[in-house]
Amino acid sequence: MERKLRGRGMAASWYGIARTATIDRAGAWAELDDGGTAKIVTGVTEIGEGILTLLAQVAADELGIKPSEVTIGDNDTARSPEAAHAGATRQTYMIGNSVHLAAREAKKHLFEQLADHWEVEIDTLQSFDGEVWSNDTNLRITMEEAVAICKARGVVPVGSASFTAHGTGLDPVDGSGSPWQTYVFGTQVAEVEVDTYTGEVQVLGIWAVHDVGRAINPRGVEGQIEGGVVQGLGQALMEDYEMVDGHTTTHGFAKYILPTSLDIPQINCTLVEDHDPLSPLGAKGIGEPALVPTAPAIMNAIYDAIGVRMKSLPATPEKILHALKYKTPGREQYVQAARELRAQAHRT
């Protein structure tokens, strides 16, 4: 047998967006303020996924101003509309849509007053990059001036909205039901190199193609996919979280192996924008779905390389060597083999 064998594997996945088998909802307030700026208030929680940037983009796009001119307000739930938790890949889908609708209502109040002031039809009004104008006329002013006119007429251009995603539980008998309102789909391909002498697996490349609905922030989406792939690689090859009778027996992070920058291959992302018809934004989400196909794709690539199925994660060098020797990845056998290897290492 050659020392180093290469293989490729593929895995596909689907994933439901927002909370399951229930009615998910989120609310938001939006206001066009003095100076032509805007503020958005919602109970959103930023946990590093970039939701605040996305909400600024959503509001700016709907109102016709720059994202830098949007302020996201305090998310204290005692002073802001409910947005629910940060999880279930729901932030963009639920809160993004509520902010979009709230900004649309605020702009509607502004346009109503401006159309009456200019004596034009409201359908002729448009806004973009901090300016407001009426088509087929010479009427054009800044957003700051438009807000001043609106307020001078006694109206504050403010809007509120909520967005709801409906789901039903699964029937316990036949499994029928519709637990999610929308779904995303993804496929990943992994190429690996297996060292048959040491059992080490090196991932040479990952190709990830994901349906995300409308990609509001493409760079942010790619970052989410790359983060999911890195987590999936750790799950596939390194992270060995042990439990006995429901209690962790993993000693700590000192010897808990995590992927580093040296372990991460080139990750090639392709976005498929299949807009969600039930979403005003057309967006879906890409948090947890980016993780789902990674480990199966790597396991399939290992099988393509060595011809043995690895059915237990992580696929450590000890397990790979045991699979090559016995042509089986049985858990009891590789656990015993790992113990023997460790004992032998201690003796030497």
Side-chain angles (χ1 to χ4, degrees), residues 12 26-27 47 51 80 93 109 113 116 123 135 147 170 185 223 232 237 280 298 303 308 312 338:
I47 58 173
I51 187 63
S80 61
Y93 190 67
H109 293 315
Q113 296 304 314
D116 187 60
D123 293 341
N135 290 331
V147 172
L170 297 178
F185 306 87
L237 301 176
I298 293 173
Y303 173 74
V308 181
S312 173

Side-chain angles (χ1 to χ4, degrees), residues 133-155:
W133 67 91
S134 174
N135 290 331
D136 302 322
T137 72
N138 294 324
L139 300 171
R140 179 184 291 265
I141 58 176
T142 66
M143 182 62 74
E144 179 179 1
E145 293 170 323
V147 172
I149 291 172
C150 185
K151 288 189 174 183
R153 295 169 65 88
V155 175

Side-chain angles (χ1 to χ4, degrees), residues 240-250 331:
D240 193 3
Y241 186 78
E242 299 176 347
M243 296 184 70
V244 175
D245 298 328
H247 300 280
T248 179
T249 57
T250 303
R331 179 169 178 81

Side-chain angles (χ1 to χ4, degrees), residues 209-289:
V209 181
H210 287 269
D211 159 36
V212 299
R214 179 188 176 191
I216 297 172
N217 187 338
R219 294 296 295 275
V221 174
E222 290 176 4
Q224 289 272 290
I225 294 173
E226 290 168 357
V229 167
V230 171
Q231 187 176 355
L233 188 150
Q235 180 188 39
L237 301 176
M238 302 172 189
E239 299 188 47
D240 193 3
Y241 186 78
E242 299 176 347
M243 296 184 70
V244 175
D245 298 328
H247 300 280
T248 179
T249 57
T250 303
H251 295 298
F253 281 114
K255 296 183 179 180
Y256 188 80
I257 303 175
L258 293 165
T260 70
S261 58
L262 298 178
D263 302 306
I264 308 306
Q266 175 70 34
I267 302 172
N268 308 280
C269 299
T270 300
L271 308 183
V272 177
E273 297 192 63
D274 180 19
H275 290 202
D276 175 38
L278 300 178
S279 161
L281 280 175
K284 296 179 183 178
I286 186 66
E288 294 138 315

Side-chain angles (χ1 to χ4, degrees), residues 18-316:
R19 293 186 289 190
T20 73
T22 184
I23 296 178
D24 199 357
R25 70 271 176 187
W29 298 331
E31 180 186 352
L32 278 161
D33 211 347
D34 297 334
T37 61
K39 53 177 175 273
I40 303 297
V41 180
T42 183
V44 66
T45 301
E46 169 67 65
I47 58 173
E49 78 281 32
I51 187 63
L52 299 184
T53 299
L54 182 137
L55 295 182
Q57 290 179 280
V58 168
D61 181 66
E62 179 61 29
L63 296 172
I65 60 178
K66 298 177 180 178
S68 59
E69 295 170 335
V70 178
T71 299
I72 307 297
D74 182 7
N75 69 345
D76 188 330
T77 53
R79 298 189 294 270
S80 61
E82 177 188 350
H85 63 91
T89 311
R90 64 181 294 280
Q91 296 273 56
T92 295
Y93 190 67
M94 298 303 304
I95 305 165
N97 278 312
S98 64
V99 167
H100 173 77
L101 295 173
R104 178 181 294 178
E105 183 179 353
K107 186 175 73 172
K108 174 176 175 289
H109 293 315
L110 175 75
F111 279 12
E112 285 174 345
Q113 296 304 314
L114 198 58
D116 187 60
H117 176 74
W118 278 345
E119 298 182 348
V120 298
E121 294 295 325
I122 191 172
D123 293 341
T124 68
L125 297 182
Q126 293 190 41
S127 59
F128 180 73
D129 199 22
E131 290 189 327
V132 184
W133 67 91
S134 174
N135 290 331
D136 302 322
T137 72
N138 294 324
L139 300 171
R140 179 184 291 265
I141 58 176
T142 66
M143 182 62 74
E144 179 179 1
E145 293 170 323
V147 172
I149 291 172
C150 185
K151 288 189 174 183
R153 295 169 65 88
V155 175
V156 176
V158 63
S160 64
S162 67
F163 180 73
T164 304
H166 296 275
T168 61
L170 297 178
D171 188 282
V173 177
D174 60 13
S176 62
S178 180
W180 292 282
Q181 181 165 287
T182 191
Y183 297 81
V184 294
F185 306 87
T187 299
Q188 293 183 13
V189 173
E191 183 176 13
V192 304
E193 184 177 75
V194 182
D195 189 323
T196 60
Y197 287 17
T198 66
E200 292 180 296
V201 177
Q202 181 181 2
V203 180
L204 304 176
I206 296 284
W207 290 260
V209 181
H210 287 269
D211 159 36
V212 299
R214 179 188 176 191
I216 297 172
N217 187 338
R219 294 296 295 275
V221 174
E222 290 176 4
Q224 289 272 290
I225 294 173
E226 290 168 357
V229 167
V230 171
Q231 187 176 355
L233 188 150
Q235 180 188 39
L237 301 176
M238 302 172 189
E239 299 188 47
D240 193 3
Y241 186 78
E242 299 176 347
M243 296 184 70
V244 175
D245 298 328
H247 300 280
T248 179
T249 57
T250 303
H251 295 298
F253 281 114
K255 296 183 179 180
Y256 188 80
I257 303 175
L258 293 165
T260 70
S261 58
L262 298 178
D263 302 306
I264 308 306
Q266 175 70 34
I267 302 172
N268 308 280
C269 299
T270 300
L271 308 183
V272 177
E273 297 192 63
D274 180 19
H275 290 202
D276 175 38
L278 300 178
S279 161
L281 280 175
K284 296 179 183 178
I286 186 66
E288 294 138 315
L291 162 67
V292 176
T294 308
I298 293 173
M299 294 303 106
N300 286 336
I302 293 173
Y303 173 74
D304 185 47
I306 66 175
V308 181
R309 284 284 179 198
M310 303 302 298
K311 298 182 180 180
S312 173
L313 301 180
T316 59

